Amino acid sequence: MTENTQRPESPADLPTQYTPAEVEGKLYERWVERGYFEADAKSEKTPYTIVIPPPNVTGSLHLGHAFQHTLMDALTRRKRMQGYEALWLPGMDHAGIATQNKVEQQLAEEGKSRQDLGRDEFVRRVWQWKEEYGGKILGQMRRLGDGVDWSRERFTMDEGLSRAVQTVFKKMYDDGLIYRAERIINWCPRCLTAISDIEVEYQEDDGELVQLQYGEGEETVVVATTRAETMLGDTAVAVHPDDPRYRHLIGKQIKLPLTDRTIPVVADSHVDPEFGTGQVKVTPAHDPNDFEIGRRHDLPMITVMDERGVITVPGPFEGLDRFEARSAIVAALREQGRILEEKRPYKHSVGHCSRCKTTIEPRLSMQWWVKVAPLAQAAGDAVRDGRTKIHPADMSSRYFDWVDNMHDWTISRQLWWGHRIPVWYGPGGEVVCVGPDEEPPGGEGWTQDPDVLDTWFSSGLWPFSTLGWPDETPDLAKFYPTDVLVTGYDIIFFWVARMMMFGTYVMDEVPFHTIQLTGLVRDEHGKKMSKSFGNVVDPLDWMDAYGSDALRYTLASGANPGTDVPIGEDWVKASRNFANKIWNATRFALMNGATVEGPLPDPSEMSATDRWILSRLNATVAEVDAYYEDYQFAKLSDALRHFAWDEVFDWYVELSKTTFFAGGRPAEVSGRVLGEVLDVMLRLLHPVVPFVTETLWTTLTGGESVVVAEWPSDSGFRDAEAEAELAAVQQAVTEVRRFRADQGLQPGQKVPARLDLDGTPLAAHEEPIRQLLRLQPAGDGFQATASLPVVGATVALDLSGAIDVEAERKRLAKDLAAAEKELKQTTAKLGNEAFLAKAPDHVVDKIRTRKSAAEADIERLKGQIEKLG
């Protein structure tokens, strides 16, 4: 261990102020060097496994990552302390489209394209980019304190995972679950690839609806469209078979404008006769519904634009972009008098590429597909029969909505970066799927499919491929299935369902026992974080300013299961203050006798205050454990803060100061009790705020590291009598403090007081009560100017030297008169039926609020006057 990572040897060595930047990095590197986060597959301990949702290799740490990583780290750290063989496995996703785009942008700056390099050289360039720029997020995870097993770091394109991908593809192909077919797909003209349904983002766009007239005379039809450019690929007009208006047209051929073609009118029950004119243009190659109509009626499927959305139909529109062609075609039809009515605005849902935001083009294309029905059935059954539980349970409906209605999945992508589809085509039309241990066919004319697999295909194998599958590894035997998946509800469709399908299919066992769904991080006003809104926060900035513990505690404090998490800088500042409070109060306690040396004294030697804090300590251990088991991070964080700040620091330490200062055996007993409390409290806090607790715990105990310390257990010690006694003390102190504040006394201002505590729970606590309330003994000539009954006792105060009692009485009497006048006026108004009949509701509500406020003021002021005597 190097000198700069040496822990403080004694409380005196602790700096007076906690400076996260001087502590966090050194501590983390020490943890990693000592191998605390490395799991042992040969261990006989019960395994506990979490696999990290692999961030994109192009990504950097954002608040969403920090949020989920904090929760995963807390779970894993606690289980490790509980004696489990805890594995939190890290890694990254190759992010096919995103990464290829990054490298293509880099090439564009050099005046080159990927075609200039060729496929092999381009892929080598991507690997080079990955080594140089990828994985930035991994270093940032260390800043956050992620306790992951770096020795097991994986990448979806590494050799082992690539082998797993090829193995699964071959198995599914042989089982008839992967097939190749020409279908309508979502095509991105910017990324130049197919994308799946879940990679399409729909938004309300402003469009224009136009009505087009086809045919002549009695053989005229009118169709409406927002995509006039696709009419060049129309191969029919469809009507409902039972629509009497158009029965005479069924089977007729009508002239398609701007072309030299005629198209038939077909009868199809898909058409809604109540919508629009009840006549629908059919473009099978550019619309999924039209594609199905085309298949039913054996219609030609004419593609009218290329992969970039440029019109390819010979004629005046050839070479125009799809949006340019739309305007040009409408203009040409208007010249022919075929626009039945002028364009009108039409807001409709339009699909956009989730990565580049380009408008999606439905396009007929030959692609590879997964037959999802049997896989989705198995994934749904695993949740229905309880093998995997979704938490919170009310989020299960989102999962079932997807897996029960899933369409076949397009898995081929027209990219160069990714897992190449392991299929070879022969010169005679042969198709051969090759497994990882098989040689591809050789000879002239054999070529491999140029496409790569959807990124979600490889990340869907993540829970078992990262553990060494398809080999039967010790890791796989020990750590699969995993225990919990912590992820946002927004990727149930993208990732969670894929992993459930693959896990139940490949492993015949669910990939995780629990799916813990979190909400999304939003700004302090509950608004989505977006660059366009200007409210995106770099978590590194907050960690630099306030420390990683402060950010982690803030995120955990907002983590109610399945609920979005608002976060603002002021909240992180408050968490920084909490970390400082832990540091300062623990340092004070250490300097004043807190110790873990020797056994805990017998309760018979302890004061009621000692027994109270130990009772509360054990109750807190039980409470925190229950919250962890239910993934209630917000509640456990609040319970820990309340116990540490309020009960330990603000009450126990303050109430015990007179004992510590007096010395003797009572001080020794309380010092040992306080040491016990700090020891357990710091261990309870550690999974959420690991850095500050590590420094303080090792200083307190001399132990190696809190990372590998034992998780506290509830000893069962409870003392209801002591808890009731201290509750009375807290109530009395709080009431007197409130009275002092009402009289305008400063917190540190001392006043003479006589305490009549005999026969009450307060009797044994007079000295600490006086210390907390800044009450001096009542000397000769003491004259009480205020008397407070509290918890059966009486606290008499002489305020004559602190305030002008008579002036205070007059002030309160004046305020009381004003409040009584307000009550009289508002009561009269609310009793006036004529006023109530005419006044708006908001005016009446305002007067009711004023009346309630006046009543509360009267009660408060009378109480204050009474206390003044």
Side-chain angles (χ1 to χ4, degrees):
M1 185 168 61
T2 59
E3 185 177 351
N4 67 349
T5 60
Q6 193 91 22
R7 65 173 176 81
E9 294 298 331
S10 71
D13 293 332
L14 284 173
T16 55
Q17 289 186 326
Y18 177 53
T19 309
E22 295 178 3
V23 173
E24 294 176 349
K26 297 173 184 177
L27 285 183
Y28 188 84
E29 291 311 314
R30 188 170 79 202
W31 293 335
V32 173
E33 287 169 9
R34 292 183 174 182
Y36 291 154
F37 305 140
E38 293 181 15
D40 182 2
K42 297 178 182 178
S43 166
E44 294 183 1
K45 296 178 182 178
T46 303
Y48 182 82
T49 315
I50 296 179
V51 291
I52 204 166
N56 286 354
V57 67
T58 61
S60 59
L61 189 75
H62 57 63
L63 278 174
H65 290 128
F67 172 50
Q68 291 178 359
H69 288 205
T70 295
L71 305 189
M72 286 183 276
D73 195 34
L75 290 171
T76 312
R77 285 177 182 268
R78 172 174 174 262
K79 287 295 185 181
R80 187 179 293 114
M81 294 172 74
Q82 285 182 313
Y84 287 78
E85 194 62 43
L87 169 61
W88 185 19
L89 193 149
M92 292 185 298
D93 191 285
H94 66 280
I97 295 177
T99 307
Q100 179 158 318
N101 282 346
K102 285 278 188 183
V103 178
E104 289 200 74
Q105 289 167 11
Q106 194 178 62
L107 287 174
E109 293 172 2
E110 302 171 12
K112 299 177 183 177
S113 69
R114 61 179 163 126
Q115 285 77 17
D116 293 332
L117 271 64
R119 183 168 195 143
D120 291 344
E121 182 57 34
F122 177 78
V123 170
R124 277 194 290 273
R125 181 70 176 260
V126 180
W127 276 107
Q128 180 183 335
W129 181 93
K130 185 259 182 187
E131 294 304 317
E132 188 172 352
Y133 301 103
K136 176 182 178 183
I137 193 173
L138 299 179
Q140 296 168 338
M141 287 164 56
R142 301 170 98 91
R143 282 287 314 277
L144 189 64
D146 283 7
V148 296
D149 185 345
W150 292 110
S151 70
R152 286 177 166 86
E153 180 190 336
R154 302 305 300 267
F155 179 53
T156 50
M157 288 281 286
D158 69 29
E159 184 178 351
L161 268 66
S162 295
R163 175 179 169 81
V165 168
Q166 194 172 352
T167 302
V168 170
F169 188 99
K170 170 69 171 174
K171 174 177 169 58
M172 295 179 76
Y173 181 87
D174 291 345
D175 288 348
L177 293 173
I178 285 181
Y179 64 95
R180 191 169 186 243
E182 192 174 40
R183 302 275 180 83
I184 293 287
I185 47 92
N186 303 299
W187 180 266
C188 176
R190 161 63 183 80
C191 297
L192 299 180
T193 182
I195 61 175
S196 64
D197 292 343
I198 56 177
E199 295 169 298
V200 179
E201 293 178 350
Y202 287 91
Q203 64 186 47
E204 292 293 313
D205 283 1
D206 293 323
E208 291 178 328
L209 189 69
V210 292
Q211 289 192 343
L212 314 179
Q213 179 179 302
Y214 296 176
E216 304 290 347
E218 292 186 359
E219 295 177 0
T220 297
V221 298
V222 176
V223 297
T225 184
T226 58
R227 302 170 66 217
E229 69 279 8
T230 63
M231 60 86 58
L232 298 175
D234 286 359
T235 55
V237 170
V239 299
H240 195 278
D242 299 330
D243 191 335
R245 295 173 296 173
Y246 309 124
R247 197 168 291 147
H248 68 287
L249 290 173
I250 296 173
K252 297 289 181 65
Q253 293 282 331
I254 59 172
K255 181 74 168 62
L256 181 65
L258 307 181
T259 74
D260 57 0
R261 295 190 290 116
T262 60
I263 58 176
V265 177
V266 300
D268 196 281
S269 57
H270 169 76
V271 178
D272 180 1
E274 303 298 325
F275 183 77
T277 64
Q279 299 171 317
V280 177
K281 63 189 288 296
V282 181
T283 321
H286 291 277
D287 182 274
N289 293 321
D290 293 2
F291 175 78
E292 296 301 329
I293 294 176
R295 290 214 299 182
R296 285 194 289 272
H297 297 277
D298 198 25
L299 298 174
M301 300 194 181
I302 301 174
T303 300
V304 301
M305 61 186 79
D306 66 13
E307 60 185 11
R308 297 182 184 276
V310 174
I311 301 299
T312 57
V313 177
F317 310 110
E318 185 177 8
L320 294 180
D321 171 80
R322 53 183 169 158
F323 300 118
E324 296 172 335
R326 182 175 301 171
S327 299
I329 286 170
V330 169
L333 290 170
R334 183 177 291 110
E335 285 184 12
Q336 294 185 4
R338 292 189 176 277
I339 301 296
L340 198 64
E341 65 176 39
E342 285 301 310
K343 296 180 292 183
R344 57 186 175 89
Y346 183 73
K347 190 174 284 290
H348 59 142
S349 181
V350 177
H352 295 259
C353 175
S354 61
R355 291 176 176 82
C356 71
K357 312 309 176 187
T358 300
T359 301
I360 288 301
E361 187 63 43
R363 187 168 188 259
L364 185 64
S365 181
M366 182 68 75
Q367 301 284 345
W368 286 95
W369 303 78
V370 168
K371 188 183 295 182
V372 300
L375 304 174
Q377 176 71 44
D381 290 346
V383 174
R384 288 189 175 93
D385 63 26
R387 282 174 289 156
T388 294
K389 291 181 172 59
I390 291 179
H391 190 278
D394 58 8
M395 286 250 169
S396 298
S397 60
R398 288 175 178 252
Y399 177 79
F400 291 129
D401 284 347
W402 181 250
V403 297
D404 292 347
N405 300 285
M406 196 182 296
H407 301 296
D408 282 3
W409 170 21
T410 324
I411 57 170
S412 45
R413 298 291 180 268
Q414 289 64 56
L415 305 172
W416 287 355
W417 172 245
H419 296 101
R420 187 98 174 252
I421 289 177
V423 172
W424 271 255
Y425 305 109
E430 302 93 337
V431 178
V432 177
C433 181
V434 177
D437 299 319
E438 301 171 350
E439 285 293 325
E444 189 176 347
W446 283 91
T447 59
Q448 186 177 358
D449 193 296
D451 292 350
V452 300
L453 286 164
D454 179 9
T455 297
W456 296 104
F457 191 97
S458 53
S459 58
L461 314 181
W462 189 253
F464 51 88
S465 63
T466 51
L467 296 172
W469 188 91
D471 296 327
E472 295 181 3
T473 64
D475 276 3
L476 194 65
K478 178 75 173 179
F479 297 110
Y480 189 89
T482 68
D483 287 87
V484 60
L485 170 72
V486 179
T487 192
Y489 61 69
D490 57 323
I491 60 170
I492 291 177
F493 321 124
F494 289 92
W495 192 44
V496 178
R498 309 293 193 214
M499 287 189 290
M500 288 292 287
M501 290 193 302
F502 281 130
T504 52
Y505 168 69
V506 174
M507 303 296 294
D508 197 26
E509 195 169 9
V510 294
F512 17 74
H513 298 305
T514 301
I515 300 170
Q516 166 56 30
L517 295 173
T518 70
L520 309 180
V521 178
R522 297 183 178 273
D523 72 11
E524 59 194 304
H525 307 294
K527 193 173 183 180
K528 180 181 178 181
M529 288 191 171
S530 166
K531 290 181 181 179
S532 61
F533 296 152
N535 61 352
V536 173
V537 174
D538 185 342
L540 295 173
D541 291 341
W542 281 351
M543 286 191 280
D544 288 342
Y546 309 113
S548 299
D549 283 336
L551 177 62
R552 289 170 63 113
Y553 183 80
T554 305
L555 291 165
S557 297
N560 291 299
T563 303
D564 288 347
V565 183
I567 185 172
E569 187 167 8
D570 286 345
W571 304 343
V572 185
K573 288 180 183 177
S575 297
R576 183 270 315 273
N577 295 342
F578 179 42
N580 287 342
K581 180 73 172 181
I582 297 170
W583 180 273
N584 294 331
T586 302
R587 184 176 182 276
F588 171 84
L590 289 168
M591 298 291 288
N592 287 275
T595 180
V596 296
E597 293 181 7
L600 201 63
D602 189 83
S604 63
E605 281 197 276
M606 298 178 188
S607 67
T609 308
D610 293 334
R611 297 194 308 275
W612 164 74
I613 197 62
L614 287 176
S615 183
R616 290 297 310 130
L617 174 68
N618 281 285
T620 301
V621 170
E623 186 179 17
V624 168
D625 275 335
Y627 286 143
Y628 262 114
E629 295 306 312
D630 197 36
Y631 304 99
Q632 297 283 354
F633 294 96
K635 291 181 179 179
L636 72 88
S637 299
D638 184 64
L640 287 169
R641 185 186 187 283
H642 170 66
F643 177 72
W645 195 316
D646 300 338
E647 296 184 316
V648 177
F649 300 142
D650 283 357
W651 285 109
Y652 180 73
V653 170
E654 294 298 322
L655 287 168
S656 300
K657 279 182 178 179
T658 53
T659 303
F660 289 132
F661 295 157
R665 180 57 182 166
E668 291 177 1
V669 170
S670 292
R672 181 63 187 88
V673 169
L674 180 53
E676 183 75 10
V677 170
L678 292 176
D679 173 18
V680 173
M681 181 197 77
L682 291 169
R683 282 184 280 152
L684 287 175
L685 281 163
H686 173 73
V688 178
V689 284
F691 294 107
V692 67
T693 52
E694 171 79 343
T695 303
L696 295 173
W697 187 85
T698 52
T699 304
L700 169 70
T701 67
E704 179 185 346
S705 172
V706 71
V707 176
V708 291
E710 185 178 348
W711 181 254
S713 59
D714 176 8
S715 71
F717 177 81
R718 299 288 191 280
D719 192 322
E721 185 177 336
E723 291 207 35
E725 186 172 320
L726 268 293
V729 172
Q730 291 173 311
Q731 182 182 341
V733 171
T734 301
E735 288 186 20
V736 177
R737 280 176 172 167
R738 186 180 297 118
F739 174 75
R740 287 174 55 106
D742 287 343
Q743 306 313 312
L745 295 177
Q746 295 301 314
Q749 192 172 354
K750 296 180 179 180
V751 295
R754 183 178 63 244
L755 278 60
D756 182 7
L757 309 179
D758 290 345
T760 74
L762 310 181
H765 303 276
E766 179 169 347
E767 188 56 33
I769 288 174
R770 283 186 176 277
Q771 292 290 335
L772 287 171
L773 293 172
R774 306 294 190 268
L775 302 180
Q776 296 175 316
D780 295 340
F782 174 82
Q783 183 68 43
T785 59
S787 183
L788 283 72
V790 289
V791 199
T794 302
V795 177
L797 304 170
D798 178 4
L799 303 177
S800 58
I803 63 171
D804 185 333
V805 177
E806 189 56 37
E808 183 65 13
R809 283 198 194 97
K810 288 180 179 178
R811 184 186 70 80
L812 293 172
K814 183 179 179 182
D815 289 347
L816 178 61
E820 289 173 335
K821 181 180 179 181
E822 171 76 353
L823 178 62
K824 183 177 179 180
Q825 290 176 342
T826 53
T827 301
K829 280 193 175 183
L830 293 173
N832 185 334
E833 294 296 335
F835 168 76
L836 293 176
K838 294 179 181 179
D841 289 345
H842 73 275
V843 173
V844 175
D845 289 342
K846 187 175 181 179
I847 292 173
R848 287 198 181 105
T849 301
R850 285 171 50 196
K851 179 175 180 288
S852 298
E855 290 171 337
D857 285 344
I858 290 169
E859 183 179 355
R860 176 179 57 82
L861 292 165
K862 283 183 175 179
Q864 290 180 237
I865 292 170
E866 182 180 350
K867 289 171 184 174
L868 284 175

